[in-house]
Amino acid sequence: MRVVLGVAGGIAAYKAASLCRLFTEGGHDVRVLPTAAALRFVGAPTWEALSGHPVATDVFTDVPSVQHVRVGKEAELVVVAPATADLLARMAAGMADDLLTTTLVTATCPVVVAPAMHTEMWQHPATQANVATLRSRGVHVIEPASGRLTGSDTGPGRLPDPEVIHAEALAQVGAAAAGSGELPWAGRRVVVSAGGTREALDPVRFLGNASSGRMGMAVARAARDLGAEVTVLQAAVEVPAPEGVRVVETPSAADLEAAVGREFHEAGADLLVMAAAVADYRPAQVATTKIKKQDDGAGLTLELERTPDVLAGAVRRRDAEAAQHPQERRQVVVGFAAETGDEHGSVLDHARAKLARKGVDLLVANEVGVGVVFGQEDTTVHLLTPDGPVRTVGPVSKDEAARAVCEAVTPLLG
């Protein structure tokens, strides 16, 4: 995809370098169009090295190719990050006095803008009116984040993280393609579980795990970008759900089991992706008041019981309902196996056994442990099907791994 990355002259311009890298690593052809002021924060050599294209700011560079028109007409996505108050005003007024603004008035593709400025500038009526004008014209303006700004001030106006901008930009491309009926998963309903369940011990304590929810959210993003209607069954997570998906809170294994019944089986969804880390055990008795520490130094003994096997249960119910209604389209179930190798076998050995035991259509196995996978940005996954070879993907970002999972699922959807 041909991506134009516009960069305005604000201190947050340095974050756009990471955004450029996210697009190029995703295989996209990126052309960076900084304003003259932006080059005072990040120089042209940086943008040229990251994008592989020469950088220009004015309309008098490469005149024979008429690039002030050509770049915008050829773009399939335009992202402006950061967008200053000045640039928002010029965009709203339709000004075209440099290469970036001329590109913006010639582009017919999705345009995504990520403002970044001081809180007072963001909240000024003129800025808010300009944002409203741009949105009324179909420009997708991302709300700025709240946090530390230049100097000691904090408040709304901070540029969102590059990963957030990247995901929202791709979502806009996906939404535009869905409107034209081009996306492969358009019309599909997908349910994705994410995060780690927590099993209550008393009103303030629980048994849990280290899952961050990043992988599940990445799968939800990938499915959304393919045009699917996505519901996330959200346990405890460290990252927000992607924009444009529906969220159902499922804090415990029992909550998750009930939600799978409603959202996947009863709603007739096409695909269930069980990426959540579901507790295998829970306290047999839950105290109604906080368990007090004993002054005599005595320990605490807990009796644990098995939680429901949500994944295996979903497959059993799916198969039973399919036998009763063979004419209906078969639902697909994908399981995740966070494994550690031990004296009984490797990660892949345990994954193959789990694939046979659970009866899923696709199993995604990854190795976990201290400092491995949980909470990390990158991962390596092994994709296993009942009758095909193992496909290993990684080390890659979790977004890339999620896209590989969806690629493997596509032929299973029929």
Side-chain angles (χ1 to χ4, degrees), residues 48-112:
E48 291 176 349
L50 291 174
S51 69
H53 290 292
V55 165
T57 62
D58 61 77
V59 298
F60 300 105
T61 301
D62 194 14
V63 172
S65 74
V66 198
Q67 72 168 343
H68 70 287
V69 174
R70 175 179 55 81
V71 174
K73 291 175 67 175
E74 292 180 351
E76 297 171 272
L77 170 67
V78 176
V79 182
V80 182
T84 58
D86 175 71
L87 183 59
L88 292 174
R90 290 196 287 145
M91 290 177 65
M95 295 180 67
D97 55 358
D98 61 9
L99 189 54
L100 175 56
T101 51
T102 55
T103 297
L104 287 165
V105 295
T106 55
T108 57
C109 61
V111 176
V112 176

Side-chain angles (χ1 to χ4, degrees), residues 2-45:
R2 291 183 295 275
V3 179
V4 170
L5 175 59
V7 185
I11 185 61
Y14 76 93
K15 291 185 179 180
S18 296
L19 180 59
C20 180
R21 176 62 61 84
L22 287 172
F23 280 116
T24 57
E25 288 182 346
H28 304 293
D29 181 26
V30 182
R31 177 74 182 270
V32 182
L33 301 184
T35 64
L39 291 181
R40 302 186 67 175
F41 292 92
V42 181

Side-chain angles (χ1 to χ4, degrees), residues 166 170 185 190 192-193 213-226 242 271 273 275 334 336 362 364 366 377-383 391 393-410:
H166 178 257
L170 293 180
W185 287 18
V190 176
V192 181
S193 68
R214 294 179 189 276
M215 191 68 232
M217 295 308 184
V219 172
R221 260 194 307 275
R224 177 205 61 188
D225 293 345
L226 288 168
L271 170 65
V273 180
V334 175
F336 271 68
L362 173 70
V364 183
N366 51 16
E377 295 296 334
D378 292 344
T379 186
T380 296
V381 296
H382 310 284
L383 309 180
R391 179 188 172 195
V393 179
V396 294
S397 70
K398 290 186 177 178
D399 280 314
E400 290 178 82
R403 288 192 287 272
V405 170
C406 290
E407 180 183 330
V409 166
T410 297

Side-chain angles (χ1 to χ4, degrees), residues 39-40 88 110 122-124 132 160 164 194 204 232 250 293 378 381:
L39 291 181
R40 302 186 67 175
L88 292 174
W122 170 248
Q123 295 175 339
H124 193 281
V164 173
V204 298
V232 172
T250 56
K293 181 170 59 177
D378 292 344
V381 296

Side-chain angles (χ1 to χ4, degrees), residues 42-368:
V42 181
T46 297
W47 300 123
E48 291 176 349
L50 291 174
S51 69
H53 290 292
V55 165
T57 62
D58 61 77
V59 298
F60 300 105
T61 301
D62 194 14
V63 172
S65 74
V66 198
Q67 72 168 343
H68 70 287
V69 174
R70 175 179 55 81
V71 174
K73 291 175 67 175
E74 292 180 351
E76 297 171 272
L77 170 67
V78 176
V79 182
V80 182
T84 58
D86 175 71
L87 183 59
L88 292 174
R90 290 196 287 145
M91 290 177 65
M95 295 180 67
D97 55 358
D98 61 9
L99 189 54
L100 175 56
T101 51
T102 55
T103 297
L104 287 165
V105 295
T106 55
T108 57
C109 61
V111 176
V112 176
V113 174
M117 63 199 72
H118 218 71
T119 300
E120 289 78 6
M121 299 175 72
W122 170 248
Q123 295 175 339
H124 193 281
T127 302
Q128 292 300 304
N130 291 332
V131 169
T133 296
L134 293 173
R135 284 174 170 160
S136 71
R137 295 173 184 165
V139 175
H140 181 73
V141 182
I142 302 173
E143 288 290 317
S146 292
R148 181 72 177 268
L149 305 171
T150 304
S152 60
D153 290 345
T154 60
R158 182 182 177 90
L159 186 72
D161 289 340
E163 292 79 8
V164 173
I165 301 170
H166 178 257
E168 290 211 28
L170 293 180
Q172 291 303 304
V173 174
S180 61
E182 297 175 1
L183 288 178
W185 287 18
R188 301 284 191 179
R189 286 182 291 173
V190 176
V191 178
V192 181
S193 68
T197 63
R198 293 179 172 181
E199 310 303 323
L201 173 61
D202 63 21
V204 298
R205 299 184 181 92
F206 58 84
L207 299 181
N209 57 66
S211 175
S212 67
R214 294 179 189 276
M215 191 68 232
M217 295 308 184
V219 172
R221 260 194 307 275
R224 177 205 61 188
D225 293 345
L226 288 168
E229 176 187 326
V230 181
T231 296
V232 172
L233 308 183
Q234 178 175 286
V237 297
E238 296 178 2
V239 292
E243 182 178 298
V245 308
R246 176 170 163 263
V247 175
V248 175
E249 298 291 343
T250 56
S252 70
D255 295 323
L256 181 58
E257 182 182 42
V260 167
R262 293 192 311 270
E263 305 296 335
F264 178 62
H265 298 292
E266 295 167 19
D270 299 281
L271 170 65
L272 172 65
V273 180
M274 287 290 293
V278 185
D280 292 323
Y281 296 91
R282 64 189 174 197
Q285 299 293 328
V286 179
T288 58
T289 59
K290 180 182 176 182
I291 299 173
K292 303 297 190 293
K293 181 170 59 177
Q294 300 300 315
D295 293 335
D296 60 5
L300 177 66
T301 300
L302 294 177
E303 180 184 354
L304 302 180
E305 64 182 15
R306 284 294 304 269
T307 58
D309 190 329
V310 182
L311 179 59
V315 172
R316 286 194 300 269
R317 181 171 173 181
R318 185 274 310 269
D319 291 345
E321 292 174 350
Q324 294 177 357
H325 306 283
Q327 73 282 1
E328 294 184 2
R329 186 166 58 188
R330 187 172 183 272
Q331 295 173 299
V332 176
V333 178
V334 175
F336 271 68
E339 294 287 355
T340 58
D342 55 27
E343 68 274 13
H344 301 295
S346 67
V347 168
L348 275 178
D349 292 332
H350 291 303
R352 289 189 181 95
K354 188 169 187 177
L355 174 67
R357 189 169 65 250
K358 302 292 186 179
V360 295
D361 302 289
L362 173 70
L363 188 76
V364 183
N366 51 16
E367 184 172 359
V368 297

